[in-house]
Amino acid sequence: MQIYEMTELSEADRELVEAAKHATNGSYSPYSRFSVGAALRLQNGIVFTGANQENAAFPSGLCAERTAFSSTARMGGLSRMASVLCCRSVLSMKI
């Protein structure tokens, strides 16, 4: 895996990172307290996002990538995907 600084990315890739970060706000993760966002950019430039969704049967749930892929499939775009990016953020935990 290669790690890049934001300044090394193209403007389009920086926008994709920001979209994935923003997607973490849609995370429902009361059990793990670990929010994950994903952003997928199609070849035509349209960006789809998703976030992880946990349920009471933890660790069962939906990962961010899967929710984003579902959005693109619904729009018929899976075969045209250009890139995938995920961001993770640890939420504060009460001990």
Side-chain angles (χ1 to χ4, degrees):
M1 177 171 71
Q2 181 70 38
I3 299 173
Y4 295 95
E5 296 290 330
M6 287 289 281
T7 56
E8 298 176 287
L9 301 176
S10 68
E11 183 177 344
D13 287 343
R14 285 193 303 272
E15 289 173 0
L16 197 62
V17 169
E18 290 304 319
K21 285 182 183 179
H22 188 312
T24 64
N25 294 328
S27 170
Y28 179 71
S29 48
Y31 307 105
S32 71
R33 297 188 184 276
F34 193 75
S35 62
V36 181
L40 311 175
R41 184 177 57 230
L42 303 184
Q43 200 168 31
N44 63 5
I46 296 174
V47 174
F48 289 89
T49 60
N52 60 322
Q53 305 297 311
E54 297 176 353
N55 64 41
F58 183 77
S60 178
L62 296 172
C63 67
E65 301 87 339
R66 186 173 188 168
T67 61
F69 279 123
S70 296
S71 295
T72 63
R74 185 174 36 115
M75 301 301 282
L78 270 180
S79 64
R80 303 249 183 229
M81 193 170 313
S83 61
V84 177
L85 178 79
C86 299
C87 291
R88 301 171 189 266
S89 64
V90 179
L91 304 176
S92 61
M93 300 179 92
K94 293 180 182 177
I95 298 176

